[in-house]
Amino acid sequence: MDLKQVVAVADTWMARWSDERLTLVAKEIKDTSIYLTYIPVREQVSIPQMKVVWRFDHRTGALKSFDASNYYSHYNKTFPVHPKLTADQASAKLGPKVTPSGKPKLEIHNSKLVYAFPVTGIGGVSHVYVNARTGAGEGINYNL
């Protein structure tokens, strides 16, 4: 099976599997496997910690594994999805050593609604997370 066929099968299954919309966010072919990663998106807010990972055999199309453990271990229907701060207000909370390098994205990070700012200025740092409700710093993401 090719990648397009595998995605079509997984999309069909995902539509029936959960009552909430899950979006395909990553596709990877590694050795003889195709990996697909889905995450919930609520009111245009991504929740990456609730990922669901599919693994298919590239040669036969057989499903090798389905991992929804993160989905269930982080399951929470009440994540706040409405920011109190605008993206501009949140960007003012960034430190002086980093510069936003793209449009921020609202997402749930460590159970908090944050703006994920792609940044430059500090080697190895790709994103800075700012709480969209309080303006507090919520961490950084490194390029490894």
Side-chain angles (χ1 to χ4, degrees), residues 46-82:
S46 302
I47 309 173
Q49 69 224 42
M50 289 177 62
K51 70 182 176 181
V52 175
V53 180
W54 296 78
R55 182 173 156 220
F56 291 88
D57 185 296
H58 183 24
R59 294 168 298 196
T60 66
L63 178 62
K64 288 180 148 182
S65 66
F66 173 79
D67 182 3
S69 59
N70 285 318
Y71 181 86
Y72 288 112
S73 65
H74 293 85
Y75 188 80
N76 181 348
K77 282 277 194 181
T78 62
F79 281 125
V81 292
H82 300 286

PDB file of all heavy atoms in Angstrom, residues 46-82:
ATOM      1  N   SER A  46      -5.304  22.989  18.784  1.00  0.00           N
ATOM      2  CA  SER A  46      -4.688  21.666  18.743  1.00  0.00           C
ATOM      3  C   SER A  46      -4.383  21.168  20.150  1.00  0.00           C
ATOM      4  O   SER A  46      -3.987  21.943  21.018  1.00  0.00           O
ATOM      5  CB  SER A  46      -3.368  21.718  17.969  1.00  0.00           C
ATOM      6  OG  SER A  46      -3.587  22.179  16.669  1.00  0.00           O
ATOM      7  N   ILE A  47      -4.550  19.855  20.344  1.00  0.00           N
ATOM      8  CA  ILE A  47      -4.246  19.246  21.641  1.00  0.00           C
ATOM      9  C   ILE A  47      -3.247  18.110  21.390  1.00  0.00           C
ATOM     10  O   ILE A  47      -3.612  16.933  21.340  1.00  0.00           O
ATOM     11  CB  ILE A  47      -5.520  18.742  22.341  1.00  0.00           C
ATOM     12  CG1 ILE A  47      -6.578  19.855  22.387  1.00  0.00           C
ATOM     13  CG2 ILE A  47      -5.192  18.244  23.749  1.00  0.00           C
ATOM     14  CD1 ILE A  47      -7.920  19.432  22.907  1.00  0.00           C
ATOM     15  N   PRO A  48      -1.961  18.450  21.189  1.00  0.00           N
ATOM     16  CA  PRO A  48      -0.969  17.445  20.792  1.00  0.00           C
ATOM     17  C   PRO A  48      -0.693  16.358  21.817  1.00  0.00           C
ATOM     18  O   PRO A  48      -0.278  15.261  21.463  1.00  0.00           O
ATOM     19  CB  PRO A  48       0.286  18.262  20.494  1.00  0.00           C
ATOM     20  CG  PRO A  48       0.093  19.559  21.196  1.00  0.00           C
ATOM     21  CD  PRO A  48      -1.377  19.782  21.287  1.00  0.00           C
ATOM     22  N   GLN A  49      -0.939  16.616  23.103  1.00  0.00           N
ATOM     23  CA  GLN A  49      -0.661  15.581  24.105  1.00  0.00           C
ATOM     24  C   GLN A  49      -1.654  14.428  24.023  1.00  0.00           C
ATOM     25  O   GLN A  49      -1.424  13.376  24.587  1.00  0.00           O
ATOM     26  CB  GLN A  49      -0.629  16.167  25.505  1.00  0.00           C
ATOM     27  CG  GLN A  49      -1.962  16.633  26.012  1.00  0.00           C
ATOM     28  CD  GLN A  49      -1.850  17.981  26.687  1.00  0.00           C
ATOM     29  OE1 GLN A  49      -1.160  18.864  26.214  1.00  0.00           O
ATOM     30  NE2 GLN A  49      -2.528  18.133  27.794  1.00  0.00           N
ATOM     31  N   MET A  50      -2.757  14.593  23.282  1.00  0.00           N
ATOM     32  CA  MET A  50      -3.759  13.531  23.139  1.00  0.00           C
ATOM     33  C   MET A  50      -3.586  12.805  21.794  1.00  0.00           C
ATOM     34  O   MET A  50      -4.559  12.425  21.156  1.00  0.00           O
ATOM     35  CB  MET A  50      -5.169  14.111  23.254  1.00  0.00           C
ATOM     36  CG  MET A  50      -5.532  14.557  24.648  1.00  0.00           C
ATOM     37  SD  MET A  50      -7.172  15.318  24.757  1.00  0.00           S
ATOM     38  CE  MET A  50      -8.232  13.976  24.248  1.00  0.00           C
ATOM     39  N   LYS A  51      -2.359  12.582  21.394  1.00  0.00           N
ATOM     40  CA  LYS A  51      -2.121  12.001  20.068  1.00  0.00           C
ATOM     41  C   LYS A  51      -2.510  10.522  19.996  1.00  0.00           C
ATOM     42  O   LYS A  51      -2.470   9.793  20.985  1.00  0.00           O
ATOM     43  CB  LYS A  51      -0.663  12.174  19.658  1.00  0.00           C
ATOM     44  CG  LYS A  51       0.314  11.338  20.436  1.00  0.00           C
ATOM     45  CD  LYS A  51       1.724  11.611  19.981  1.00  0.00           C
ATOM     46  CE  LYS A  51       2.699  10.836  20.843  1.00  0.00           C
ATOM     47  NZ  LYS A  51       4.065  11.085  20.442  1.00  0.00           N
ATOM     48  N   VAL A  52      -2.879  10.129  18.777  1.00  0.00           N
ATOM     49  CA  VAL A  52      -3.187   8.747  18.441  1.00  0.00           C
ATOM     50  C   VAL A  52      -2.253   8.364  17.302  1.00  0.00           C
ATOM     51  O   VAL A  52      -2.171   9.072  16.299  1.00  0.00           O
ATOM     52  CB  VAL A  52      -4.658   8.593  17.991  1.00  0.00           C
ATOM     53  CG1 VAL A  52      -4.945   7.179  17.534  1.00  0.00           C
ATOM     54  CG2 VAL A  52      -5.601   9.011  19.110  1.00  0.00           C
ATOM     55  N   VAL A  53      -1.517   7.259  17.466  1.00  0.00           N
ATOM     56  CA  VAL A  53      -0.522   6.857  16.469  1.00  0.00           C
ATOM     57  C   VAL A  53      -0.898   5.512  15.852  1.00  0.00           C
ATOM     58  O   VAL A  53      -1.120   4.536  16.564  1.00  0.00           O
ATOM     59  CB  VAL A  53       0.896   6.776  17.088  1.00  0.00           C
ATOM     60  CG1 VAL A  53       1.924   6.356  16.034  1.00  0.00           C
ATOM     61  CG2 VAL A  53       1.284   8.103  17.720  1.00  0.00           C
ATOM     62  N   TRP A  54      -0.953   5.503  14.539  1.00  0.00           N
ATOM     63  CA  TRP A  54      -1.203   4.291  13.754  1.00  0.00           C
ATOM     64  C   TRP A  54       0.111   3.838  13.137  1.00  0.00           C
ATOM     65  O   TRP A  54       0.928   4.667  12.718  1.00  0.00           O
ATOM     66  CB  TRP A  54      -2.154   4.596  12.600  1.00  0.00           C
ATOM     67  CG  TRP A  54      -3.520   5.010  12.980  1.00  0.00           C
ATOM     68  CD1 TRP A  54      -3.914   6.244  13.424  1.00  0.00           C
ATOM     69  CD2 TRP A  54      -4.691   4.217  12.929  1.00  0.00           C
ATOM     70  NE1 TRP A  54      -5.258   6.253  13.647  1.00  0.00           N
ATOM     71  CE2 TRP A  54      -5.770   5.021  13.342  1.00  0.00           C
ATOM     72  CE3 TRP A  54      -4.946   2.894  12.569  1.00  0.00           C
ATOM     73  CZ2 TRP A  54      -7.063   4.552  13.411  1.00  0.00           C
ATOM     74  CZ3 TRP A  54      -6.243   2.435  12.630  1.00  0.00           C
ATOM     75  CH2 TRP A  54      -7.289   3.253  13.051  1.00  0.00           C
ATOM     76  N   ARG A  55       0.301   2.527  13.031  1.00  0.00           N
ATOM     77  CA  ARG A  55       1.487   1.983  12.363  1.00  0.00           C
ATOM     78  C   ARG A  55       1.023   0.869  11.426  1.00  0.00           C
ATOM     79  O   ARG A  55       0.421  -0.117  11.851  1.00  0.00           O
ATOM     80  CB  ARG A  55       2.470   1.432  13.387  1.00  0.00           C
ATOM     81  CG  ARG A  55       3.730   0.905  12.765  1.00  0.00           C
ATOM     82  CD  ARG A  55       4.723   0.525  13.861  1.00  0.00           C
ATOM     83  NE  ARG A  55       5.639  -0.460  13.346  1.00  0.00           N
ATOM     84  CZ  ARG A  55       6.084  -1.493  14.018  1.00  0.00           C
ATOM     85  NH1 ARG A  55       5.712  -1.686  15.271  1.00  0.00           N
ATOM     86  NH2 ARG A  55       6.908  -2.342  13.469  1.00  0.00           N
ATOM     87  N   PHE A  56       1.288   1.056  10.143  1.00  0.00           N
ATOM     88  CA  PHE A  56       0.908   0.097   9.116  1.00  0.00           C
ATOM     89  C   PHE A  56       2.148  -0.522   8.483  1.00  0.00           C
ATOM     90  O   PHE A  56       3.187   0.134   8.379  1.00  0.00           O
ATOM     91  CB  PHE A  56       0.125   0.789   7.988  1.00  0.00           C
ATOM     92  CG  PHE A  56      -1.235   1.257   8.377  1.00  0.00           C
ATOM     93  CD1 PHE A  56      -1.428   2.522   8.930  1.00  0.00           C
ATOM     94  CD2 PHE A  56      -2.341   0.455   8.182  1.00  0.00           C
ATOM     95  CE1 PHE A  56      -2.686   2.963   9.273  1.00  0.00           C
ATOM     96  CE2 PHE A  56      -3.615   0.896   8.528  1.00  0.00           C
ATOM     97  CZ  PHE A  56      -3.785   2.151   9.072  1.00  0.00           C
ATOM     98  N   ASP A  57       2.028  -1.762   8.030  1.00  0.00           N
ATOM     99  CA  ASP A  57       3.086  -2.405   7.249  1.00  0.00           C
ATOM    100  C   ASP A  57       3.009  -1.831   5.843  1.00  0.00           C
ATOM    101  O   ASP A  57       1.968  -1.903   5.184  1.00  0.00           O
ATOM    102  CB  ASP A  57       2.884  -3.924   7.221  1.00  0.00           C
ATOM    103  CG  ASP A  57       4.031  -4.629   6.528  1.00  0.00           C
ATOM    104  OD1 ASP A  57       4.211  -4.401   5.311  1.00  0.00           O
ATOM    105  OD2 ASP A  57       4.735  -5.406   7.188  1.00  0.00           O
ATOM    106  N   HIS A  58       4.103  -1.257   5.377  1.00  0.00           N
ATOM    107  CA  HIS A  58       4.146  -0.601   4.070  1.00  0.00           C
ATOM    108  C   HIS A  58       3.940  -1.594   2.921  1.00  0.00           C
ATOM    109  O   HIS A  58       3.334  -1.272   1.915  1.00  0.00           O
ATOM    110  CB  HIS A  58       5.474   0.134   3.921  1.00  0.00           C
ATOM    111  CG  HIS A  58       5.640   0.918   2.660  1.00  0.00           C
ATOM    112  ND1 HIS A  58       4.595   1.399   1.916  1.00  0.00           N
ATOM    113  CD2 HIS A  58       6.756   1.324   2.010  1.00  0.00           C
ATOM    114  CE1 HIS A  58       5.057   2.054   0.874  1.00  0.00           C
ATOM    115  NE2 HIS A  58       6.359   2.019   0.910  1.00  0.00           N
ATOM    116  N   ARG A  59       4.404  -2.811   3.089  1.00  0.00           N
ATOM    117  CA  ARG A  59       4.314  -3.805   2.003  1.00  0.00           C
ATOM    118  C   ARG A  59       2.924  -4.414   1.897  1.00  0.00           C
ATOM    119  O   ARG A  59       2.401  -4.585   0.808  1.00  0.00           O
ATOM    120  CB  ARG A  59       5.348  -4.911   2.212  1.00  0.00           C
ATOM    121  CG  ARG A  59       6.782  -4.397   2.079  1.00  0.00           C
ATOM    122  CD  ARG A  59       7.733  -5.429   2.568  1.00  0.00           C
ATOM    123  NE  ARG A  59       7.438  -5.657   4.000  1.00  0.00           N
ATOM    124  CZ  ARG A  59       8.221  -6.262   4.841  1.00  0.00           C
ATOM    125  NH1 ARG A  59       9.342  -6.761   4.429  1.00  0.00           N
ATOM    126  NH2 ARG A  59       7.892  -6.399   6.102  1.00  0.00           N
ATOM    127  N   THR A  60       2.306  -4.756   3.026  1.00  0.00           N
ATOM    128  CA  THR A  60       1.028  -5.470   2.988  1.00  0.00           C
ATOM    129  C   THR A  60      -0.180  -4.589   3.300  1.00  0.00           C
ATOM    130  O   THR A  60      -1.305  -4.974   2.999  1.00  0.00           O
ATOM    131  CB  THR A  60       1.029  -6.624   4.012  1.00  0.00           C
ATOM    132  OG1 THR A  60       1.089  -6.059   5.332  1.00  0.00           O
ATOM    133  CG2 THR A  60       2.181  -7.575   3.766  1.00  0.00           C
ATOM    134  N   GLY A  61       0.050  -3.448   3.927  1.00  0.00           N
ATOM    135  CA  GLY A  61      -1.054  -2.588   4.338  1.00  0.00           C
ATOM    136  C   GLY A  61      -1.689  -3.012   5.646  1.00  0.00           C
ATOM    137  O   GLY A  61      -2.656  -2.403   6.097  1.00  0.00           O
ATOM    138  N   ALA A  62      -1.152  -4.044   6.268  1.00  0.00           N
ATOM    139  CA  ALA A  62      -1.710  -4.541   7.528  1.00  0.00           C
ATOM    140  C   ALA A  62      -1.438  -3.551   8.660  1.00  0.00           C
ATOM    141  O   ALA A  62      -0.377  -2.934   8.731  1.00  0.00           O
ATOM    142  CB  ALA A  62      -1.105  -5.895   7.882  1.00  0.00           C
ATOM    143  N   LEU A  63      -2.409  -3.427   9.543  1.00  0.00           N
ATOM    144  CA  LEU A  63      -2.243  -2.592  10.723  1.00  0.00           C
ATOM    145  C   LEU A  63      -1.336  -3.325  11.706  1.00  0.00           C
ATOM    146  O   LEU A  63      -1.632  -4.434  12.131  1.00  0.00           O
ATOM    147  CB  LEU A  63      -3.600  -2.314  11.368  1.00  0.00           C
ATOM    148  CG  LEU A  63      -3.597  -1.480  12.647  1.00  0.00           C
ATOM    149  CD1 LEU A  63      -3.053  -0.084  12.383  1.00  0.00           C
ATOM    150  CD2 LEU A  63      -5.004  -1.404  13.229  1.00  0.00           C
ATOM    151  N   LYS A  64      -0.208  -2.700  12.046  1.00  0.00           N
ATOM    152  CA  LYS A  64       0.740  -3.308  12.987  1.00  0.00           C
ATOM    153  C   LYS A  64       0.437  -2.883  14.422  1.00  0.00           C
ATOM    154  O   LYS A  64       0.603  -3.662  15.347  1.00  0.00           O
ATOM    155  CB  LYS A  64       2.172  -2.917  12.630  1.00  0.00           C
ATOM    156  CG  LYS A  64       2.712  -3.576  11.399  1.00  0.00           C
ATOM    157  CD  LYS A  64       4.136  -3.088  11.172  1.00  0.00           C
ATOM    158  CE  LYS A  64       4.983  -4.144  10.530  1.00  0.00           C
ATOM    159  NZ  LYS A  64       6.360  -3.691  10.353  1.00  0.00           N
ATOM    160  N   SER A  65       0.036  -1.627  14.598  1.00  0.00           N
ATOM    161  CA  SER A  65      -0.290  -1.162  15.944  1.00  0.00           C
ATOM    162  C   SER A  65      -1.161   0.081  15.879  1.00  0.00           C
ATOM    163  O   SER A  65      -1.178   0.801  14.881  1.00  0.00           O
ATOM    164  CB  SER A  65       0.976  -0.865  16.760  1.00  0.00           C
ATOM    165  OG  SER A  65       1.683   0.222  16.208  1.00  0.00           O
ATOM    166  N   PHE A  66      -1.884   0.297  16.963  1.00  0.00           N
ATOM    167  CA  PHE A  66      -2.748   1.448  17.140  1.00  0.00           C
ATOM    168  C   PHE A  66      -2.555   1.883  18.579  1.00  0.00           C
ATOM    169  O   PHE A  66      -2.891   1.148  19.501  1.00  0.00           O
ATOM    170  CB  PHE A  66      -4.212   1.041  16.871  1.00  0.00           C
ATOM    171  CG  PHE A  66      -5.205   2.114  17.195  1.00  0.00           C
ATOM    172  CD1 PHE A  66      -5.420   3.167  16.328  1.00  0.00           C
ATOM    173  CD2 PHE A  66      -5.936   2.077  18.370  1.00  0.00           C
ATOM    174  CE1 PHE A  66      -6.352   4.159  16.611  1.00  0.00           C
ATOM    175  CE2 PHE A  66      -6.872   3.049  18.672  1.00  0.00           C
ATOM    176  CZ  PHE A  66      -7.074   4.090  17.785  1.00  0.00           C
ATOM    177  N   ASP A  67      -1.967   3.054  18.791  1.00  0.00           N
ATOM    178  CA  ASP A  67      -1.668   3.508  20.143  1.00  0.00           C
ATOM    179  C   ASP A  67      -2.489   4.750  20.478  1.00  0.00           C
ATOM    180  O   ASP A  67      -2.211   5.844  19.990  1.00  0.00           O
ATOM    181  CB  ASP A  67      -0.186   3.807  20.279  1.00  0.00           C
ATOM    182  CG  ASP A  67       0.210   4.233  21.681  1.00  0.00           C
ATOM    183  OD1 ASP A  67      -0.653   4.244  22.582  1.00  0.00           O
ATOM    184  OD2 ASP A  67       1.399   4.557  21.879  1.00  0.00           O
ATOM    185  N   ALA A  68      -3.505   4.556  21.295  1.00  0.00           N
ATOM    186  CA  ALA A  68      -4.342   5.663  21.750  1.00  0.00           C
ATOM    187  C   ALA A  68      -4.127   5.931  23.242  1.00  0.00           C
ATOM    188  O   ALA A  68      -4.944   6.601  23.874  1.00  0.00           O
ATOM    189  CB  ALA A  68      -5.802   5.352  21.466  1.00  0.00           C
ATOM    190  N   SER A  69      -3.036   5.430  23.793  1.00  0.00           N
ATOM    191  CA  SER A  69      -2.801   5.580  25.231  1.00  0.00           C
ATOM    192  C   SER A  69      -2.686   7.052  25.645  1.00  0.00           C
ATOM    193  O   SER A  69      -3.205   7.442  26.701  1.00  0.00           O
ATOM    194  CB  SER A  69      -1.563   4.803  25.665  1.00  0.00           C
ATOM    195  OG  SER A  69      -0.421   5.255  24.960  1.00  0.00           O
ATOM    196  N   ASN A  70      -2.026   7.881  24.838  1.00  0.00           N
ATOM    197  CA  ASN A  70      -1.924   9.309  25.176  1.00  0.00           C
ATOM    198  C   ASN A  70      -3.286   9.992  25.098  1.00  0.00           C
ATOM    199  O   ASN A  70      -3.584  10.888  25.877  1.00  0.00           O
ATOM    200  CB  ASN A  70      -0.944  10.022  24.248  1.00  0.00           C
ATOM    201  CG  ASN A  70       0.482   9.706  24.579  1.00  0.00           C
ATOM    202  OD1 ASN A  70       0.855   9.651  25.737  1.00  0.00           O
ATOM    203  ND2 ASN A  70       1.292   9.461  23.573  1.00  0.00           N
ATOM    204  N   TYR A  71      -4.095   9.570  24.149  1.00  0.00           N
ATOM    205  CA  TYR A  71      -5.441  10.127  24.030  1.00  0.00           C
ATOM    206  C   TYR A  71      -6.214   9.895  25.326  1.00  0.00           C
ATOM    207  O   TYR A  71      -6.810  10.811  25.877  1.00  0.00           O
ATOM    208  CB  TYR A  71      -6.170   9.489  22.841  1.00  0.00           C
ATOM    209  CG  TYR A  71      -7.556  10.029  22.627  1.00  0.00           C
ATOM    210  CD1 TYR A  71      -7.749  11.171  21.868  1.00  0.00           C
ATOM    211  CD2 TYR A  71      -8.662   9.418  23.194  1.00  0.00           C
ATOM    212  CE1 TYR A  71      -9.022  11.686  21.666  1.00  0.00           C
ATOM    213  CE2 TYR A  71      -9.936   9.920  22.993  1.00  0.00           C
ATOM    214  CZ  TYR A  71     -10.117  11.057  22.228  1.00  0.00           C
ATOM    215  OH  TYR A  71     -11.382  11.565  22.045  1.00  0.00           O
ATOM    216  N   TYR A  72      -6.191   8.676  25.813  1.00  0.00           N
ATOM    217  CA  TYR A  72      -6.971   8.352  27.002  1.00  0.00           C
ATOM    218  C   TYR A  72      -6.326   8.853  28.294  1.00  0.00           C
ATOM    219  O   TYR A  72      -7.016   9.273  29.214  1.00  0.00           O
ATOM    220  CB  TYR A  72      -7.238   6.851  27.082  1.00  0.00           C
ATOM    221  CG  TYR A  72      -8.235   6.424  26.044  1.00  0.00           C
ATOM    222  CD1 TYR A  72      -7.856   5.610  24.988  1.00  0.00           C
ATOM    223  CD2 TYR A  72      -9.550   6.861  26.095  1.00  0.00           C
ATOM    224  CE1 TYR A  72      -8.780   5.238  24.016  1.00  0.00           C
ATOM    225  CE2 TYR A  72     -10.472   6.496  25.129  1.00  0.00           C
ATOM    226  CZ  TYR A  72     -10.078   5.679  24.088  1.00  0.00           C
ATOM    227  OH  TYR A  72     -10.984   5.326  23.141  1.00  0.00           O
ATOM    228  N   SER A  73      -5.001   8.830  28.375  1.00  0.00           N
ATOM    229  CA  SER A  73      -4.367   9.277  29.617  1.00  0.00           C
ATOM    230  C   SER A  73      -4.470  10.795  29.791  1.00  0.00           C
ATOM    231  O   SER A  73      -4.397  11.290  30.915  1.00  0.00           O
ATOM    232  CB  SER A  73      -2.912   8.822  29.684  1.00  0.00           C
ATOM    233  OG  SER A  73      -2.145   9.432  28.677  1.00  0.00           O
ATOM    234  N   HIS A  74      -4.648  11.532  28.696  1.00  0.00           N
ATOM    235  CA  HIS A  74      -4.794  12.988  28.781  1.00  0.00           C
ATOM    236  C   HIS A  74      -6.213  13.437  28.440  1.00  0.00           C
ATOM    237  O   HIS A  74      -6.452  14.618  28.206  1.00  0.00           O
ATOM    238  CB  HIS A  74      -3.814  13.677  27.828  1.00  0.00           C
ATOM    239  CG  HIS A  74      -2.392  13.506  28.219  1.00  0.00           C
ATOM    240  ND1 HIS A  74      -1.653  12.419  27.864  1.00  0.00           N
ATOM    241  CD2 HIS A  74      -1.583  14.280  28.972  1.00  0.00           C
ATOM    242  CE1 HIS A  74      -0.436  12.527  28.360  1.00  0.00           C
ATOM    243  NE2 HIS A  74      -0.370  13.636  29.044  1.00  0.00           N
ATOM    244  N   TYR A  75      -7.145  12.493  28.439  1.00  0.00           N
ATOM    245  CA  TYR A  75      -8.507  12.821  28.024  1.00  0.00           C
ATOM    246  C   TYR A  75      -9.118  13.851  28.955  1.00  0.00           C
ATOM    247  O   TYR A  75      -9.113  13.700  30.166  1.00  0.00           O
ATOM    248  CB  TYR A  75      -9.381  11.559  28.021  1.00  0.00           C
ATOM    249  CG  TYR A  75     -10.742  11.792  27.419  1.00  0.00           C
ATOM    250  CD1 TYR A  75     -10.903  11.803  26.040  1.00  0.00           C
ATOM    251  CD2 TYR A  75     -11.844  12.018  28.214  1.00  0.00           C
ATOM    252  CE1 TYR A  75     -12.128  12.026  25.470  1.00  0.00           C
ATOM    253  CE2 TYR A  75     -13.086  12.246  27.651  1.00  0.00           C
ATOM    254  CZ  TYR A  75     -13.227  12.244  26.281  1.00  0.00           C
ATOM    255  OH  TYR A  75     -14.444  12.469  25.715  1.00  0.00           O
ATOM    256  N   ASN A  76      -9.597  14.929  28.354  1.00  0.00           N
ATOM    257  CA  ASN A  76     -10.218  15.999  29.129  1.00  0.00           C
ATOM    258  C   ASN A  76     -11.087  16.794  28.160  1.00  0.00           C
ATOM    259  O   ASN A  76     -10.573  17.440  27.264  1.00  0.00           O
ATOM    260  CB  ASN A  76      -9.141  16.888  29.740  1.00  0.00           C
ATOM    261  CG  ASN A  76      -9.709  18.013  30.573  1.00  0.00           C
ATOM    262  OD1 ASN A  76     -10.899  18.293  30.549  1.00  0.00           O
ATOM    263  ND2 ASN A  76      -8.844  18.694  31.308  1.00  0.00           N
ATOM    264  N   LYS A  77     -12.372  16.744  28.344  1.00  0.00           N
ATOM    265  CA  LYS A  77     -13.291  17.477  27.460  1.00  0.00           C
ATOM    266  C   LYS A  77     -13.401  18.946  27.864  1.00  0.00           C
ATOM    267  O   LYS A  77     -14.045  19.717  27.184  1.00  0.00           O
ATOM    268  CB  LYS A  77     -14.689  16.848  27.509  1.00  0.00           C
ATOM    269  CG  LYS A  77     -14.821  15.593  26.714  1.00  0.00           C
ATOM    270  CD  LYS A  77     -15.083  15.938  25.284  1.00  0.00           C
ATOM    271  CE  LYS A  77     -15.556  14.721  24.531  1.00  0.00           C
ATOM    272  NZ  LYS A  77     -15.801  14.976  23.155  1.00  0.00           N
ATOM    273  N   THR A  78     -12.804  19.334  28.978  1.00  0.00           N
ATOM    274  CA  THR A  78     -12.988  20.691  29.477  1.00  0.00           C
ATOM    275  C   THR A  78     -11.744  21.565  29.358  1.00  0.00           C
ATOM    276  O   THR A  78     -11.638  22.565  30.053  1.00  0.00           O
ATOM    277  CB  THR A  78     -13.443  20.655  30.949  1.00  0.00           C
ATOM    278  OG1 THR A  78     -12.420  20.026  31.736  1.00  0.00           O
ATOM    279  CG2 THR A  78     -14.751  19.919  31.102  1.00  0.00           C
ATOM    280  N   PHE A  79     -10.791  21.195  28.490  1.00  0.00           N
ATOM    281  CA  PHE A  79      -9.660  22.085  28.275  1.00  0.00           C
ATOM    282  C   PHE A  79     -10.186  23.457  27.880  1.00  0.00           C
ATOM    283  O   PHE A  79     -11.091  23.564  27.054  1.00  0.00           O
ATOM    284  CB  PHE A  79      -8.773  21.587  27.130  1.00  0.00           C
ATOM    285  CG  PHE A  79      -7.836  20.475  27.491  1.00  0.00           C
ATOM    286  CD1 PHE A  79      -7.846  19.296  26.768  1.00  0.00           C
ATOM    287  CD2 PHE A  79      -6.933  20.594  28.520  1.00  0.00           C
ATOM    288  CE1 PHE A  79      -6.976  18.264  27.069  1.00  0.00           C
ATOM    289  CE2 PHE A  79      -6.058  19.569  28.838  1.00  0.00           C
ATOM    290  CZ  PHE A  79      -6.090  18.414  28.107  1.00  0.00           C
ATOM    291  N   PRO A  80      -9.653  24.533  28.464  1.00  0.00           N
ATOM    292  CA  PRO A  80     -10.101  25.865  28.055  1.00  0.00           C
ATOM    293  C   PRO A  80      -9.618  26.148  26.630  1.00  0.00           C
ATOM    294  O   PRO A  80      -8.453  25.918  26.314  1.00  0.00           O
ATOM    295  CB  PRO A  80      -9.407  26.797  29.060  1.00  0.00           C
ATOM    296  CG  PRO A  80      -8.200  26.042  29.496  1.00  0.00           C
ATOM    297  CD  PRO A  80      -8.579  24.584  29.445  1.00  0.00           C
ATOM    298  N   VAL A  81     -10.507  26.600  25.758  1.00  0.00           N
ATOM    299  CA  VAL A  81     -10.100  26.850  24.375  1.00  0.00           C
ATOM    300  C   VAL A  81     -10.328  28.302  23.954  1.00  0.00           C
ATOM    301  O   VAL A  81     -10.225  28.626  22.778  1.00  0.00           O
ATOM    302  CB  VAL A  81     -10.804  25.890  23.391  1.00  0.00           C
ATOM    303  CG1 VAL A  81     -10.335  24.471  23.588  1.00  0.00           C
ATOM    304  CG2 VAL A  81     -12.302  25.994  23.488  1.00  0.00           C
ATOM    305  N   HIS A  82     -10.627  29.181  24.915  1.00  0.00           N
ATOM    306  CA  HIS A  82     -10.859  30.586  24.594  1.00  0.00           C
ATOM    307  C   HIS A  82      -9.820  31.442  25.320  1.00  0.00           C
ATOM    308  O   HIS A  82      -9.832  31.520  26.551  1.00  0.00           O
ATOM    309  CB  HIS A  82     -12.274  31.007  24.986  1.00  0.00           C
ATOM    310  CG  HIS A  82     -13.324  30.212  24.284  1.00  0.00           C
ATOM    311  ND1 HIS A  82     -13.623  30.385  22.959  1.00  0.00           N
ATOM    312  CD2 HIS A  82     -14.107  29.208  24.708  1.00  0.00           C
ATOM    313  CE1 HIS A  82     -14.556  29.535  22.601  1.00  0.00           C
ATOM    314  NE2 HIS A  82     -14.865  28.795  23.642  1.00  0.00           N
TER     315      HIS A  82
END
